[in-house]
Amino acid sequence: MRRFVRFCEKVQYLGLLGLLSMIFDNKLLNLLWLFWLFGLIPIFYNPAIYLQALKQLGGMLIVLLRYGSRIPSAEHYNGSVKYSLPFHGTWAVVNGGVDKATSHSWGILTQRYAYDFLILDEKGRSFSGNHTNPEDYYCYGKEILAPADGEVVEVKDKYPDSVILGKGQADCAAKDIRGNYILIRHADKEYGLLAHLKPGSIRVKAGDIVKRGQHIADCGNSGNTSEPHLHFHVQDGRSLFTSAGLPIQFTDITAHPAPGYAAFDARPIPPVSALNKEFIMRGQNVSNI
């Protein structure tokens, strides 16, 4: 079924050929518009994901109305919590930064300052073996840690790992783009989200008090993800859709250029600006001291 859905996602764009009917008077060309109907198949296959996309759009309007021109920025925001990296050892930042050039998702305000972490070897590879097997990825199953003290306010642990398609394509098997996740209230208006966790690995429940560095789950591939990794961001409320993302101020960490990173991600890495010296960014290997 998933193969058919992916086929529909691609074939729907043949509907663009229907534009020829505006140039040539041919009734058969009008029929090409019907290819857009294939775009309905993915929506019916997983309507919850499309609903979340709509909620994200609506949520962005709410954030803009709430903050106006005062949306939290790395230049002016000063949070009350300093965070540790939520893992042991050295991981690579493969998405994320505090400016538009490096941001995980600049236009999605909740995830503007989010980070995606995984483990790369010196050749820029994230796995060894079969690229379709999540267990062959270096980060899969590694311990995920609480990035700071706090109270667990939401937990979801019911989704399987998503199929790995390769070439950066995502195939969400869950009804939530976060997959399995943990949301922790670290302070007033500071909530940390850790997403794409391994099924059955979550060790905490809502209401639990956690300490910085506590093992709370394992890295997985659940939700809207192209390969195993950890998504981490901090937001100013509980809602994924109507909260503003906050710049994450880490403490006692190291950050260096990741060897072989270009083999994993061909996007150019912008020069490190004065602002980015205070934060981590895409293309770096990071670890706790």
Side-chain angles (χ1 to χ4, degrees), residues 64 97 109 116 173 219 234 238 259 282-284:
L64 287 170
L109 299 178
D116 287 338
C219 183
V234 177
R238 287 186 60 159
R282 173 168 57 86
Q284 292 178 329

Side-chain angles (χ1 to χ4, degrees), residues 47-270:
I49 295 302
Y50 284 86
L51 178 60
Q52 284 195 327
L54 293 174
K55 290 170 71 174
Q56 280 186 322
L57 289 173
M60 284 190 288
L61 292 175
I62 292 173
V63 174
L64 287 170
L65 289 172
R66 185 154 54 96
Y67 278 99
S69 61
R70 297 176 291 102
I71 292 175
S73 67
E75 293 92 339
H76 304 110
Y77 178 75
N78 187 24
S80 60
V81 179
K82 305 295 184 184
Y83 295 87
S84 299
L85 293 164
F87 43 74
H88 296 298
T90 300
W91 292 46
V93 185
V94 295
N95 277 310
V98 294
D99 56 21
K100 191 172 183 178
T102 57
S103 172
H104 177 287
S105 305
W106 189 258
I108 302 176
L109 299 178
T110 306
Q111 301 182 52
R112 173 168 286 188
Y113 302 111
Y115 292 102
D116 287 338
F117 299 101
L118 49 71
I119 299 175
L120 295 177
D121 61 24
E122 292 186 353
K123 295 183 179 179
R125 296 175 301 195
S126 57
F127 68 95
S128 176
N130 184 349
H131 81 279
T132 64
N133 182 10
E135 295 184 354
D136 284 348
Y137 285 76
Y138 301 129
C139 69
Y140 187 81
K142 297 294 186 184
E143 293 185 2
I144 300 303
L145 315 176
D149 297 352
E151 178 187 359
V152 177
V153 293
E154 284 184 30
V155 169
K156 189 166 289 183
D157 187 8
K158 65 178 183 179
Y159 296 122
D161 283 323
S162 296
V163 173
I164 302 172
L165 302 175
K167 297 181 179 180
Q169 300 179 80
D171 180 60
C172 188
K175 296 186 184 299
D176 192 306
I177 56 176
R178 295 165 289 189
N180 304 315
Y181 70 88
I182 299 171
L183 184 67
I184 304 172
R185 180 184 179 276
H186 299 291
D188 184 35
K189 296 186 178 181
E190 288 193 48
Y191 293 76
L193 176 73
L194 302 108
H196 309 316
L197 304 174
K198 181 180 178 182
S201 74
I202 294 179
R203 294 164 164 253
V204 294
K205 63 183 184 301
D208 285 354
I209 303 299
V210 295
K211 295 296 183 180
R212 183 188 304 269
Q214 180 179 333
H215 180 196
I216 56 176
D218 298 336
C219 183
N221 192 52
S222 59
N224 192 43
T225 169
S226 58
E227 66 174 87
H229 71 281
L230 173 69
H231 173 103
F232 173 50
H233 76 249
V234 177
Q235 57 193 48
D236 71 351
R238 287 186 60 159
S239 172
L240 176 68
F241 309 105
T242 60
S243 300
L246 304 174
I248 304 174
Q249 298 168 312
F250 291 102
T251 184
D252 296 327
I253 69 169
T254 63
H256 305 285
Y261 183 80
F264 177 83
D265 183 355
R267 293 176 298 170
I269 300 173

